[in-house]
Amino acid sequence: MKDLSKITEIEDLRQVAQRKIPRMFYDYVDSGSWTETTYRNNETDFDRIKLRQRVLVNMEGRSLATEMLGMPVKMPVAIAPTGFTGMMWADGEILAAQAAENFGVPFSLSTMSICSIEDVAEHTSQPFWFQLYMMRDMDFIANLIRRAKEANCSALILTADLQVLGQRHKDIKNGLSAPPKPTLANILNLMTKPEWCMNMLGTKRRTFGNIVGHAKNVEDMSSLSAWTAEQFDSALSWDDVARIKDMWGGKLIIKGIMEPEDAVLAARNGADALVVSNHGGRQLDGAPSSISSLADIVQAVRAEDNQIEIWLDSGIRSGQDVLKAMALGANGTMIGRAFLYGLGAYGEDGVRRALELIYNECDISMAFCGHTDINQVRDDILVKGTYEQLKSALPYISPMRW
């Protein structure tokens, strides 16, 4: 392992990753849709929430340990599914999954990963979660779910907020592709990223491993882009959730919930967990931040006495962000960019360092707030008036009126 003790915050990892990763892949990670307003607010709204410091409280015996979907975890953080992960660092999904397993948190693999389901299963010993983008080709979807079962994936994540693709200006301008197209601009940029290039030369995994060779008529990159452009299922609806859950037969997570109505529907349609997420600000620009939407969703779901787990994704860059989410009623959180910065900076060691930073900051901040058990944290650790203003809690409306 590298000595990364001088790396003291996620921002340090981001800066290193920006220097090391080719422009198109760094921009893919570090950008949002349209004006990027929601992307920015996901982070800044966390900063507006203030913590109450308590003193002369016994701080011994602290624990961030909890459970997510019945799985014991070292802290209430899971690695979120992210596309192109294997373009941040060669074999990136494998390395991130190994780092998560060794640290004691869940790992999620994206449909749009570079390393395949089988690749990750071969290089890990613990079950991981698989994220599903619903495609029009149901034979492909059935085969994808079968492969996830055979790989012993312990939960299926249905991403609900990407029926159509939000426009990300940087991806268009950069001509995003995996692997990069050999244009003059790309070649010149790659010449400044020698470590990345050497790592990529040492792997055979440079395209979407879950799709190429598995989908009909998709045998190489030339046919992949046309296939994906027409395959995202814009007709996906709540009527399809039961069918997906039946095909899967295991624990189901629905990711992309931003409104109380949809949260209640997720619970009623058999989801075991839901993820409050705006896709990192990469879909509907102008939507509220995830953290500002959390309290209303928790209120609506719990009013029905439903025990579905509620997790928060989008905007988490520190252990304090995790602590604030838990205080507002989340049962867990997911990180995307925070681990990708670490991966792009230092590979597996960088992912490990990102998890360490979040753990240590959450642990120490919880102690300063007078708590020793993350499961006992409530909104009394927050300064009144600093979180209610994000999005005032709405009076509960009966779902019969929705």
Side-chain angles (χ1 to χ4, degrees):
M1 294 186 194
K2 294 183 176 67
D3 179 10
L4 301 182
S5 58
K6 302 300 183 184
I7 299 292
T8 58
E9 59 181 339
I10 298 297
E11 173 62 13
D12 293 342
L13 294 171
R14 186 199 68 76
Q15 291 181 19
V16 176
Q18 187 175 20
R19 293 197 300 268
K20 288 188 173 184
I21 302 173
R23 183 188 302 112
M24 69 166 58
F25 298 124
Y26 176 79
D27 284 351
Y28 173 80
V29 170
D30 202 24
S31 64
S33 63
W34 303 101
T35 66
E36 300 190 337
T37 301
T38 298
Y39 164 59
R40 292 190 297 272
N41 289 346
N42 278 336
E43 294 185 53
T44 57
D45 279 357
F46 270 109
D47 296 336
R48 295 166 63 185
I49 303 171
K50 304 305 177 185
L51 299 167
R52 295 178 63 226
Q53 180 173 332
R54 303 296 305 278
V55 297
L56 297 178
V57 176
N58 186 342
M59 296 181 181
E60 295 180 320
R62 299 189 303 277
S63 174
L64 299 183
T66 185
E67 292 186 354
M68 297 178 73
L69 281 187
M71 173 183 175
V73 295
K74 185 173 180 178
M75 62 177 172
V77 174
I79 288 186
T82 55
F84 281 93
T85 300
M87 288 288 116
M88 302 303 118
W89 190 281
D91 300 336
E93 289 89 358
I94 293 172
L95 299 180
Q98 291 174 335
E101 181 177 309
N102 292 334
F103 195 86
V105 298
F107 172 79
S108 311
L109 182 70
S110 170
T111 292
M112 305 302 292
S113 60
I114 302 301
C115 301
S116 69
I117 300 170
E118 293 80 10
D119 288 333
V120 174
E122 181 182 350
H123 290 86
T124 55
S125 60
Q126 297 296 317
F128 56 95
W129 301 338
F130 181 69
Q131 174 269 337
L132 179 70
Y133 282 128
M134 198 64 179
M135 307 290 188
R136 298 180 188 276
D137 185 343
M138 287 308 299
D139 289 338
F140 171 74
I141 292 298
N143 186 50
L144 204 56
I145 290 175
R146 177 189 59 77
R147 291 167 59 200
K149 288 180 181 179
E150 292 178 352
N152 199 30
C153 293
S154 56
L156 185 73
I157 304 171
L158 175 64
T159 294
D161 61 354
L162 207 134
Q163 293 166 268
V164 294
L165 189 65
Q167 180 165 309
R168 302 147 195 177
H169 297 333
K170 293 176 184 175
D171 291 350
I172 296 172
K173 292 174 180 176
N174 289 332
L176 179 70
S177 65
K181 295 175 182 176
T183 64
L184 178 60
N186 287 341
I187 292 171
L188 291 174
N189 184 244
L190 289 174
M191 290 174 63
T192 68
K193 317 295 178 184
E195 184 179 17
W196 185 92
C197 292
M198 290 300 297
N199 288 333
M200 282 296 169
L201 287 173
T203 182
K204 60 183 179 181
R205 303 177 182 94
R206 304 190 192 99
T207 187
F208 295 107
N210 290 324
I211 300 175
V212 174
H214 296 281
K216 293 176 184 176
N217 302 318
V218 181
E219 301 300 332
D220 53 36
M221 282 302 299
S222 63
S223 54
L224 175 62
S225 58
W227 183 86
T228 54
E230 65 183 24
Q231 278 297 320
F232 282 105
D233 190 359
S234 58
L236 180 66
S237 71
W238 290 109
D239 294 335
D240 297 303
V241 173
R243 177 174 51 149
I244 295 167
K245 187 174 176 65
D246 184 62
M247 291 173 64
W248 171 243
K251 293 181 178 178
L252 178 68
I253 304 160
I254 297 182
K255 181 175 180 287
I257 302 296
M258 285 294 291
E259 290 297 328
E261 301 98 314
D262 289 331
V264 171
L265 287 170
R268 289 180 177 179
N269 280 275
D272 299 283
L274 66 86
V275 187
V276 180
S277 171
N278 54 37
H279 217 97
R282 296 166 61 76
Q283 285 296 90
L284 177 61
D285 190 38
S289 66
S290 290
I291 190 62
S292 69
S293 303
L294 177 61
D296 291 345
I297 287 173
V298 171
Q299 180 187 8
V301 171
R302 300 304 177 223
E304 291 208 337
D305 197 30
N306 195 298
Q307 296 307 303
I308 185 174
E309 293 187 26
I310 301 172
W311 305 339
L312 183 106
D313 167 80
S314 302
I316 291 177
R317 302 291 185 273
S318 71
Q320 286 201 350
D321 294 343
V322 173
L323 186 65
K324 291 169 183 178
M326 298 296 285
L328 289 173
N331 304 110
T333 62
M334 302 188 90
I335 58 170
R337 291 184 176 95
F339 95 85
L340 288 172
Y341 296 147
L343 180 67
Y346 300 108
E348 182 178 352
D349 291 335
V351 178
R352 171 183 55 82
R353 187 56 180 159
L355 293 170
E356 289 174 348
L357 292 172
I358 290 172
Y359 182 94
N360 293 336
E361 186 171 349
C362 187
D363 173 57
I364 294 172
S365 298
M366 179 178 69
F368 281 135
C369 292
H371 283 269
T372 58
D373 183 355
I374 194 67
N375 298 293
Q376 300 302 315
V377 166
R378 301 292 183 268
D379 64 3
D380 60 355
I381 73 167
L382 307 177
V383 175
K384 293 289 185 183
T386 66
Y387 60 93
E388 298 93 340
Q389 64 182 353
L390 292 178
K391 187 178 179 186
S392 58
L394 300 173
Y396 180 65
I397 303 173
S398 169
M400 295 299 293
R401 294 175 57 191
W402 290 342

